[in-house]
Amino acid sequence: MLFLKSGNVCAFRDCGRSLIEPGAEGDADAIIGEMAHIVADSRQGPRGDEPLDESERNKHANLILVCPEHHTIIDKQPRTYSVAVLRQMKADHESRIQAALAKPAVEPKPELIKERIQSTLLPVTHLPQAVFAAPCGFTQNEEDEVKKRILYPQRKSENEPFELAPFILRDGKLFAFHDLRERGNPFSAVIDNNKVEKQRATEIWGDAEDKRRYITLLNRSLYKYTARLGVRYDPEHRRFYFPVEEKGKERSVVYRPPNMARSERLVAWEPKRKSTGEGKGFWWHLAARLRFEQMSDDQWCLSIRPERRLTTDSETPMPSHRIGRRVTSFKAKMYNDLYFKEVVFWRDYLSQGQPRFVLSFGNQLAVIDVQMVAFDVEWVGIPGDESAFKNEVYDEDLFTLSERDEAIAGEQLDWDEAEEDAELIEEEFVEY
Ligand SMILES: [Zn+2]
């Protein structure tokens, strides 16, 4: 038992000597390990006067396996190598041997869970295929002058989306999604429509500066689109927010969550103290950053980032030195659940309860689906994050489908592009 437990190594602290001496020149290997008594066999031997029954003295529990040198030392210095010291040495050695040879403990594999990760991105399923540029007499600083002269066409029916006319002035040119060659385009009054250049989207996306301009046009189209929904753009903070309609009066809006009845929610309000019902002296306004972003060669998204605007009296922006703590503590609470609820509110409000919304630039369109981009992953998950958010799927009905189909089919730049677009529509249609 002692030999097995000692692992062929002297048990004396830090000795480490092997207890089998290899033989050479025809001699066999020799065992040099010696069984030293912790309490001596006889009362007169080293540590022999320690109380231990005679019958226990030759058992392995009272023996320590050492090399000859250390056997000599411990028996000649019984006061240094007392019973307690030797018992500890034996226990340490035997457990060290055991631990060194034991099978390594296998860490339990983390349990993976399958989860659907929601993003705050809305897929853009259709984008303008070209940007037009025409000479324009107004400079970069005269945007307001151009805005005054934009002519919006009358809508033929109520279902038809309002036309948006985003533009950029640069280097003596006006850039727009509208086909500036057409007579009666909204910019007719400010451009020379005989010298129109047309650039295809696929070329534009390959050039950093052209792409920036394209994204700016898309983002600007949201100013007008959201303005019709009573949402204002704050250029200083680059975000959209709900202003009040009347100073000091709370504002709520009606919106339609997917597959549910119409809902109403406050979008600008003065929070009240729970105890007294007294106003807290500042106003919250729902706000969001809305931006078009290219995710890959052919995938574009509209990202929604909920924020809050703070005012002192429903109109005057809160001075920035007073904002810090409030927004920080609010953002901390915005984590996940609340954050997502606000994202969902924005998308439902922007789409007016429809499965998608359309930004119309005359004969070109951007179509944004409201089904947020989601990813399936298998991972360890986030402990404690068991929120059961449901990315509601909108019920398509024949009306919304045919409406979309018509809208896209009606969008034709040139006859030579018609065929290409028809294929695209068919591809997209299959997915539904
Ligand atoms: Zn030794």
Side-chain angles (χ1 to χ4, degrees):
M1 186 69 80
L2 179 68
F3 274 75
L4 290 176
K5 286 188 165 188
S6 298
N8 187 35
V9 175
C10 171
F12 195 89
R13 193 177 296 126
D14 300 330
C15 171
R17 187 169 173 189
S18 165
L19 299 177
I20 298 171
E21 191 65 35
E25 297 179 27
D27 286 338
D29 292 351
I31 296 170
I32 60 165
E34 293 178 4
M35 299 186 284
H37 284 86
I38 294 172
V39 178
D41 194 18
S42 71
R43 299 253 162 218
Q44 292 71 39
R47 300 166 294 272
D49 49 356
E50 290 282 326
L52 186 69
D53 197 90
E54 306 279 335
S55 63
E56 299 294 323
R57 295 197 176 207
N58 281 320
K59 291 196 173 159
H60 69 84
N62 185 46
L63 300 169
I64 180 168
L65 190 70
V66 284
C67 64
E69 182 191 342
H70 283 118
H71 191 181
T72 308
I73 290 171
I74 61 182
D75 279 356
K76 286 202 165 158
Q77 302 175 336
R79 276 181 293 275
T80 305
Y81 299 103
S82 65
V83 170
V85 166
L86 291 181
R87 280 186 179 151
Q88 191 60 53
M89 214 182 257
K90 173 184 167 77
D92 287 350
H93 178 72
E94 290 179 0
S95 63
R96 201 164 59 90
I97 295 293
Q98 187 62 32
L101 301 178
K103 221 172 127 186
V106 180
E107 281 214 10
K109 263 195 185 164
E111 208 175 303
L112 298 183
I113 52 169
K114 280 187 178 158
E115 255 191 315
R116 179 145 268 231
I117 305 299
Q118 300 294 342
S119 77
T120 60
L121 306 168
L122 303 181
V124 177
T125 56
H126 199 88
L127 278 169
Q129 295 301 303
V131 168
F132 296 87
C136 175
F138 291 98
T139 67
Q140 219 164 311
N141 306 320
E142 295 172 311
E143 281 186 5
D144 289 339
E145 293 303 313
V146 171
K147 278 180 194 163
K148 282 182 211 160
R149 291 167 174 80
I150 292 177
L151 303 162
Y152 288 97
Q154 290 288 312
R155 287 195 302 167
K156 288 177 206 84
S157 77
E158 226 177 83
N159 291 330
E160 206 178 293
F162 283 99
E163 269 193 43
L164 309 165
F167 65 93
I168 294 170
L169 295 171
R170 200 137 306 157
D171 310 327
K173 286 179 194 168
L174 181 143
F175 296 85
F177 289 135
H178 275 88
D179 189 342
L180 301 175
R181 297 168 300 191
E182 279 189 1
R183 310 214 165 266
N185 77 71
F187 305 100
S188 301
V190 294
I191 54 146
D192 176 358
N193 70 356
N194 292 312
K195 288 181 186 159
V196 175
E197 298 158 55
K198 176 187 167 187
Q199 207 182 358
R200 297 193 67 126
T202 42
E203 297 160 19
I204 293 168
W205 299 348
D207 178 276
E209 201 187 322
D210 290 347
K211 187 176 149 185
R212 237 189 328 274
R213 195 179 294 142
Y214 184 90
I215 292 175
T216 303
L217 281 174
L218 281 175
N219 287 333
R220 287 188 176 183
S221 69
L222 288 171
Y223 305 165
K224 199 86 186 180
Y225 180 83
T226 54
R228 291 214 165 85
L229 300 172
V231 174
R232 202 174 288 163
Y233 183 66
D234 165 14
E236 193 194 335
H237 297 97
R238 295 178 172 199
R239 66 186 170 204
F240 296 84
Y241 71 98
F242 284 93
V244 289
E245 283 160 329
E246 197 184 308
K247 189 175 180 182
K249 196 167 165 256
E250 289 187 337
R251 179 177 170 198
S252 59
V253 297
V254 171
Y255 71 108
R256 209 189 80 181
N259 315 327
M260 277 172 67
R262 280 170 187 276
S263 299
E264 199 173 344
R265 76 157 291 171
L266 281 172
V267 291
W269 70 97
E270 183 184 18
K272 305 275 191 302
R273 273 175 223 293
K274 271 195 189 112
S275 50
T276 59
E278 198 189 333
K280 286 188 176 174
F282 67 90
W283 286 66
W284 283 122
H285 302 253
L286 287 195
R289 283 197 187 216
L290 305 172
R291 276 148 76 138
F292 283 92
E293 283 167 41
Q294 187 174 21
M295 314 308 288
S296 64
D297 281 351
D298 54 359
Q299 180 68 63
W300 285 72
C301 286
L302 176 68
S303 75
I304 301 178
R305 194 175 111 183
E307 292 187 354
R308 288 282 170 95
R309 178 181 167 89
L310 271 166
T311 58
T312 55
D313 57 359
S314 81
E315 283 183 353
T316 318
M318 176 90 67
S320 54
H321 67 269
R322 284 186 60 195
I323 291 182
R325 191 188 51 81
R326 276 197 191 90
V327 169
T328 309
S329 80
F330 178 73
K331 274 188 178 159
K333 286 182 203 146
M334 279 272 265
Y335 172 70
N336 243 351
D337 230 13
L338 181 56
Y339 191 82
F340 237 86
K341 274 180 191 149
E342 301 230 331
V343 173
V344 170
F345 163 76
W346 276 98
R347 77 155 195 196
D348 293 341
Y349 189 71
L350 290 173
S351 69
Q352 295 284 287
Q354 296 299 307
R356 62 188 60 81
F357 60 102
V358 173
L359 306 175
S360 167
F361 316 109
N363 52 12
Q364 295 206 87
L365 301 173
V367 180
I368 298 112
D369 261 36
V370 300
Q371 201 61 50
M372 283 177 294
V373 178
F375 312 85
D376 285 319
V377 294
E378 197 172 357
W379 68 336
V380 292
I382 300 170
D385 180 28
E386 273 107 30
S387 161
F389 172 77
K390 198 162 161 245
N391 190 359
E392 283 278 357
V393 177
Y394 275 84
D395 286 334
E396 288 284 0
D397 55 38
L398 281 175
F399 177 72
T400 57
L401 268 183
S402 66
E403 193 182 40
R404 171 181 187 275
D405 194 24
E406 256 172 48
I408 294 177
E411 183 211 45
Q412 237 103 78
L413 286 177
D414 288 314
W415 286 112
D416 62 339
E417 284 166 0
E419 229 168 82
E420 196 183 304
D421 279 1
E423 274 169 32
L424 198 70
I425 293 162
E426 233 169 67
E427 266 173 44
E428 287 173 0
F429 202 83
V430 169
E431 289 174 23
Y432 295 98

